[in-house]
Amino acid sequence: MFIYTRPAYQFCQVVLQGYLDEQFYQLEELQDESSPNFVEEVVTLFFRDSSRLVANIDQALQKYPQDFRRLDNFMHQLKGSASSIGAAKMKNECTSFREFCNKENREGCLRSFQKVKKEHAVLKQKLENYFQ
Amino acid sequence: MAVVAEAQFHVLAVDDSLMDRKLIERLLKTSSFQVTAVDSGSRALEVLGLSEGLTSSSAVSPAHNEIEVNLVITDYCMPGMTGYDLLKKIKGSSSLKDIPVVIMSSENVPSRINRCLEGGAEEFFLKPVQLSDMKRLRPHILKGKSKEQQPQEEETSSTSISSNKRKAMDEELSPERRRLKLSNYSLI
């Protein structure tokens, strides 16, 4: 799919597809001459945080599969980051994961986490295009 | 940036997430606030001149460690000292208790919100914090400042206070939105 290169409407496509919501526009609005790379900086921080958290959750699911509190704690942070950047689909998957945690449903967590990772990967790809 | 003839207030932002700190800092600067952003409650207390080891009555610390802070905005969920813990420490300090505190959280938990408001927080912002939320900060700072000058001033909800400054600031606010911000973003 095609990403427009015009900065002001660059993200129309991806927002319309539901990957990002209005929060992303908010980030664009905060970018100006005094902070010309703001969006890129925030996105970079997001992927730094989220990659770390995804790895933590992966490890926790292997090593501490019954520690739902730990899993929920990591996912709470991941969901928060996703929310701050406007990553709507990913945020929804994070919410599902937390619901499974709440019910202490390990299988549900594992399935849900695959979806979180998938949304994360798709988002990464789309945002890489944005900054080219 | 906007050039306005109004005092530049200093906000202390507290959040353990680097990403969220960057965001809140940008939001505040865009809204003409001076910002200090720290990553923990204990660091915030240092900036405020209230170190952990001191009791609240002996809060005076060397001048080099103190910066005048007009408002504290803090995340709720932080490791170690939570935003609520920080709130209580500030409100429990004779030198700091009049500094308005706003709590932010990504979770909309009514009991949490009430607890914070009852603990002395001025407002509770739901994350992600919006540019429009920044307009709600100045009234709290001004209320605090006028309290310093007139200790008799009644502490009621801001919409009933009829000073010219407050009216100008509060124009856009409706009473029901003051205490609880609800997320209005739809998720597809």
Side-chain angles (χ1 to χ4, degrees):
Chain A
M1 65 97 310
F2 179 61
I3 307 262
Y4 300 127
T5 53
R6 192 171 286 279
Y9 303 101
Q10 199 157 343
F11 247 88
C12 273
Q13 280 290 326
V14 189
V15 170
L16 286 170
Q17 287 168 7
Y19 290 103
L20 296 170
D21 62 27
E22 293 147 51
Q23 175 60 14
F24 196 85
Y25 284 141
Q26 170 95 188
L27 298 181
E28 289 184 322
E29 256 178 56
L30 289 170
Q31 183 163 292
D32 62 17
E33 320 78 51
S34 66
S35 194
N37 302 306
F38 180 71
V39 180
E40 189 170 357
E41 287 163 9
V42 174
V43 169
T44 302
L45 285 175
F46 168 72
F47 283 113
R48 203 189 74 166
D49 275 359
S50 58
S51 301
R52 174 183 53 88
L53 288 162
V54 164
N56 286 343
I57 295 168
D58 247 326
Q59 190 191 52
L61 282 165
Q62 302 306 313
K63 285 178 80 174
Y64 316 105
Q66 296 309 315
D67 193 343
F68 291 100
R69 206 174 144 200
R70 178 195 293 252
L71 288 169
D72 186 70
N73 186 28
F74 283 139
M75 190 50 84
H76 163 76
Q77 292 177 59
L78 185 58
K79 183 183 163 186
S81 291
S83 166
S84 292
I85 207 177
K89 283 191 177 182
M90 187 174 156
K91 186 180 162 182
N92 282 345
E93 297 302 344
C94 291
T95 302
S96 295
F97 181 96
R98 295 188 76 195
E99 281 164 9
F100 286 120
C101 269
N102 231 5
K103 295 175 187 152
E104 302 203 342
N105 179 341
R106 182 159 185 263
E107 284 309 308
C109 283
L110 287 168
R111 279 198 315 269
S112 180
F113 188 52
Q114 293 314 308
K115 291 183 185 173
V116 170
K117 285 201 283 191
K118 182 184 147 237
E119 291 304 334
H120 184 241
V122 167
L123 196 62
K124 194 163 192 181
Q125 186 203 20
K126 292 190 183 294
L127 283 167
E128 269 164 13
N129 291 342
Y130 175 83
F131 292 115
Q132 258 160 23
Chain B
M1 295 296 253
V3 177
V4 288
E6 56 185 28
Q8 212 190 24
F9 295 124
H10 182 208
V11 176
L12 175 60
V14 192
D15 200 315
D16 61 311
S17 156
L18 177 53
M19 193 182 147
D20 283 352
R21 255 194 330 278
K22 188 175 179 71
L23 245 152
I24 193 73
E25 189 168 357
R26 188 84 204 114
L27 285 166
L28 288 163
K29 282 185 172 164
T30 300
S31 310
S32 306
F33 290 105
Q34 225 186 310
V35 189
T36 298
V38 298
D39 64 357
S40 70
S42 44
R43 185 75 191 99
L45 291 175
E46 281 175 37
V47 170
L48 290 165
L50 182 67
S51 297
E52 283 275 61
L54 301 172
T55 61
S56 50
S57 58
S58 61
V60 181
S61 74
H64 73 267
N65 212 23
E66 270 179 69
I67 309 167
E68 206 213 337
V69 169
N70 302 117
L71 184 139
V72 175
I73 182 163
T74 177
D75 188 25
Y76 182 91
C77 283
M78 295 188 293
M81 196 187 297
T82 66
Y84 180 78
D85 296 331
L86 176 61
L87 166 71
K88 295 303 278 178
K89 284 202 152 51
I90 291 171
K91 293 302 165 184
S93 155
S94 49
S95 57
L96 302 177
K97 65 179 169 57
D98 289 329
I99 299 178
V101 180
V102 171
I103 311 263
M104 308 178 276
S105 177
S106 54
E107 294 179 300
N108 186 356
V109 181
S111 58
R112 172 184 296 183
I113 295 167
N114 285 328
R115 193 169 167 243
C116 289
L117 295 175
E118 276 160 25
E122 302 296 331
E123 288 224 43
F124 192 99
F125 287 168
L126 213 52
K127 283 179 160 184
V129 178
Q130 305 296 298
L131 203 50
S132 54
D133 290 328
M134 299 293 100
K135 293 175 193 160
R136 292 153 73 177
L137 299 177
R138 211 162 246 114
H140 296 303
I141 296 174
L142 294 170
K143 181 172 75 177
K145 284 201 166 293
S146 64
K147 236 190 334 191
E148 279 166 33
Q149 286 144 29
Q150 292 159 23
Q152 249 70 46
E153 185 162 328
E154 198 187 340
E155 187 141 9
T156 61
S157 104
S158 57
T159 51
S160 66
I161 295 175
S162 57
S163 80
N164 292 334
K165 271 189 191 164
R166 293 195 56 78
K167 270 189 181 155
M169 300 295 177
D170 277 2
E171 239 163 63
E172 294 167 43
L173 303 170
S174 62
E176 64 269 18
R177 277 182 59 85
R178 284 205 65 73
R179 299 303 250 183
L180 174 63
K181 179 187 183 295
L182 300 171
S183 173
N184 57 5
Y185 287 105
S186 57
L187 300 172
I188 301 161

